[in-house]
């Protein structure tokens, strides 16, 4: 199946000029969901992943399934103020707006091998903040995997330039 065919595009959401790539249609399709999870983890199978880190909120759905399949733990990276215990935070710029990402201080232990998962990489600001959080906890980033790449926004290249192995499943031109 071509996963691009089950991703819905919503023009001008949440702001004019943004083409929102909506994966709820992919998640609702049993075969597409399984294929996406299988393809996300395939490059990293056998690389001894200790933890999958998923970015709120769609990275939780995909990352949880990937963690289960890899028999790895799952660590949530959440928007500011959502995690109940002691946290570390990193601020980052979104394609639309500014935000902060947080991790529990005990979410990743020093030396643990971490796979980062999210639904989409655009500018890469969110993923670089996530990588920063994991590095600050002395975790090792084994790689980062996304269902969707917006290559014109350069995020995947920014991660590669930072030495992170990046895997994406579907590319869309433009924003
Ligand atoms: P960025 O930090 O610019 O790489 O943006 C990636 C984050 O913002 C991901 O968590 C995405 O879910 C979300 N995002 C950015 N642009 C879009 C878009 N066009 N459609 C859907 N989600 C997006």
């Amino acid at each position: 199946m071509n996963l691009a065919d089950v991703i819905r595009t919503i023009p001008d959401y949440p702001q004019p000029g943004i083409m929102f790539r909506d994966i709820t249609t992919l998640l609702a399709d049993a075969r597409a969901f399984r294929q996406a999870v299988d393809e996300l983890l395939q490059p990293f199978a056998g690389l001894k992943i200790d933890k999958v880190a998923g970015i709120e909120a769609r990275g939780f759905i995909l990352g949880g399934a990937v963690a289960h399949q890899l028999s790895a733990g799952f660590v949530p990276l959440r928007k500011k103020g959502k995690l109940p215990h002691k946290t570390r935070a990193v601020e980052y710029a979104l394609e639309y707006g500014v935000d902060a990402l947080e991790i529990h201080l005990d979410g990743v232990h020093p030396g643990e091998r971490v796979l980062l998962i999210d639904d989409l990489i655009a500018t890469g600001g969110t993923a670089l903040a996530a990588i920063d959080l994991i590095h600050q906890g002395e975790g090792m980033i084994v790689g980062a995997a996304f269902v969707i790449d917006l290559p014109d926004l350069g995020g995947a290249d920014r991660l590669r330039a930072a030495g992170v192995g990046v895997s994406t499943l579907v590319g869309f031109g433009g924003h």
Side-chain angles (χ1 to χ4, degrees):
M1 178 188 314
N2 185 353
L3 294 177
D5 294 342
V6 290
I7 295 165
R8 175 163 56 195
T9 297
I10 303 172
D12 298 321
Y13 181 88
Q15 290 184 9
I18 302 292
M19 297 285 273
F20 192 86
R21 307 299 177 175
D22 172 21
I23 64 156
T24 62
T25 40
L26 181 156
L27 297 172
D29 180 319
R31 281 180 52 230
F33 188 16
R34 171 169 288 279
Q35 181 179 328
V37 170
D38 287 347
E39 290 185 16
L40 281 171
L41 67 87
Q42 192 276 330
F44 308 99
L47 293 184
K48 296 191 195 310
I49 307 294
D50 297 306
K51 298 263 172 75
V52 172
I55 299 174
E56 185 172 1
R58 283 157 278 159
F60 291 178
I61 302 161
L62 296 161
V66 168
H68 174 77
Q69 191 79 5
L70 288 172
S71 297
F74 178 82
V75 184
L77 307 180
R78 298 207 65 178
K79 307 288 165 60
K80 203 175 178 61
K82 299 283 188 72
L83 287 169
H85 198 51
K86 290 178 184 164
T87 58
R88 165 185 310 115
V90 169
E91 288 207 335
Y92 65 102
L94 269 180
E95 189 186 356
Y96 36 85
V98 176
D99 219 331
L101 209 57
E102 295 185 341
I103 188 170
H104 272 148
L105 290 182
D106 59 1
V108 171
H109 300 125
E112 281 189 324
R113 295 167 59 77
V114 180
L115 172 61
L116 180 67
I117 298 279
D118 202 2
D119 65 327
L120 179 148
I121 184 159
T123 66
T126 313
L128 285 167
I131 289 163
D132 197 0
L133 282 175
I134 289 156
H135 281 158
Q136 285 186 34
E138 296 177 42
M140 290 173 49
I141 296 284
V142 177
F146 307 84
V147 174
I148 301 164
D149 183 21
L150 305 185
D152 296 343
L153 295 177
D157 286 341
R158 285 176 74 195
L159 262 63
R160 292 188 184 105
V164 175
V166 180
S167 170
T168 64
L169 309 185
V170 175
F172 289 108
H175 284 227

